Amino acid sequence: QVQLVESGGGLVQAGGFLKLSCASSRRIASFNFVGWYRQAAGKEREMVARMTDGGRREYADNKEGRFTISKDNGRNIIYLNGRNLKPEDTAVYYCYAADVSPSRTFWGQGAQVTVSS
């Protein structure tokens, strides 16, 4: 069973920075996709960013420019950096790692990020 353990988050002032880390128990280079979703209270989970095994980065609409996804294959860690955070970025952020065949998705436990105005 793959374990993804997130760290970082907490309380951030508007306009501030965010760094989330997600450590994997399995080699992240072996996954087809790794990425981040978030879920605000009362809203559906939405994608923030993902990265393919080939290194291509994909961002949800209006997320690119303020959020950056990266990974360290040697340390098996996935990162999400954010800047110029806004109160509407307040959410629980989840990392994930996915295989295409067979189709499997593994999730982190979630990290609360609260942006104060």
Side-chain angles (χ1 to χ4, degrees):
Q1 181 69 14
V2 174
Q3 288 189 323
L4 300 176
V5 180
E6 300 180 37
S7 58
L11 183 63
V12 181
Q13 288 195 336
F17 297 90
L18 169 70
K19 182 171 184 175
L20 296 175
S21 302
C22 175
S24 172
S25 62
R26 180 181 131 185
R27 291 176 55 248
I28 59 172
S30 67
F31 292 107
N32 295 114
F33 297 95
V34 296
W36 296 86
Y37 271 69
R38 71 184 187 185
Q39 187 167 21
K43 295 187 178 180
E44 293 187 354
R45 192 174 291 193
E46 63 171 356
M47 189 187 89
V48 179
R50 74 174 186 177
M51 201 165 176
T52 71
D53 51 3
R56 186 177 74 248
R57 293 174 173 85
E58 300 172 356
Y59 296 90
D61 289 345
N62 72 32
K63 300 295 190 300
E64 188 170 10
R66 293 198 302 118
F67 291 92
T68 302
I69 185 173
S70 61
K71 60 179 179 172
D72 184 331
N73 286 341
R75 299 178 66 192
N76 296 315
I77 299 177
I78 309 158
Y79 298 102
L80 182 70
N81 288 303
R83 63 179 181 85
N84 191 23
L85 292 185
K86 304 174 182 180
E88 51 263 42
D89 294 317
T90 295
V92 178
Y93 285 71
Y94 298 90
C95 66
Y96 77 94
D99 297 323
V100 171
S101 181
S103 178
R104 295 177 299 191
T105 303
F106 306 96
W107 292 93
Q109 82 278 15
Q112 175 69 48
V113 174
T114 302
V115 183
S116 63
S117 57

